[in-house]
Amino acid sequence: QVQLVESGGGLVQAGGSLRLSCAASGSIFRITNMGWYRQAPGKQRELVAVIFNGDRTNYADSVKGRFTISRDNAKNTVALQMNSLKPEDTADYYCKAQIQAYFRGLNEYWGQGTQVTVSP
């Protein structure tokens, strides 16, 4: 069984930094894309950043230059370094990965979410 577990959320003042981490575990054969999404109260879930196999990255315009996504393929982890945080970054952040488990096809997995709150 494949599982994604996030950590690193919390409360921070505007202008501060947080680092989110997500670890995939289970019978993993390979991982392709890994990414971070967020959902603010009353809003739809949106893409924050994605990192593809080969380390190509893509960011939402609202976080470009402030957030950095990275992955460690040996540890099956993905991280999101968030700098210069703004109150509008407040949301639940979710990790998503496309994972092929042993003897299974490629499937999409989500973490349980971690809350990020940025105070003015």
Side-chain angles (χ1 to χ4, degrees), residues 5-119:
V5 177
E6 300 110 334
S7 60
L11 172 65
V12 65
Q13 285 190 328
S17 298
L18 280 175
R19 183 177 178 84
L20 304 182
S21 296
C22 173
S25 62
S27 299
I28 297 171
F29 175 61
R30 68 185 178 110
I31 301 177
T32 58
N33 305 340
M34 302 186 84
W36 289 94
Y37 289 72
R38 67 186 180 187
Q39 187 166 18
K43 294 189 177 181
Q44 288 190 326
R45 192 171 296 189
E46 62 176 2
L47 171 70
V48 176
V50 61
I51 185 165
F52 302 93
N53 236 357
D55 292 339
R56 182 170 61 91
T57 58
N58 195 23
Y59 295 90
D61 287 343
S62 60
V63 308
K64 281 180 182 176
R66 301 188 297 122
F67 291 10
T68 302
I69 189 170
S70 60
R71 65 191 286 176
D72 185 330
N73 292 328
K75 296 181 179 178
N76 291 333
T77 58
V78 62
L80 185 69
Q81 178 64 42
M82 304 186 294
N83 299 328
S84 302
L85 282 160
K86 304 175 181 180
E88 50 263 44
D89 294 317
T90 295
D92 291 326
Y93 283 70
Y94 297 88
C95 172
K96 188 181 88 168
Q98 289 187 317
I99 299 173
Q100 183 176 6
Y102 282 100
F103 311 112
R104 301 251 174 130
L106 196 63
N107 285 301
E108 193 174 273
Y109 294 86
W110 289 89
Q112 81 286 355
T114 185
Q115 190 171 55
V116 171
T117 303
V118 185
S119 62

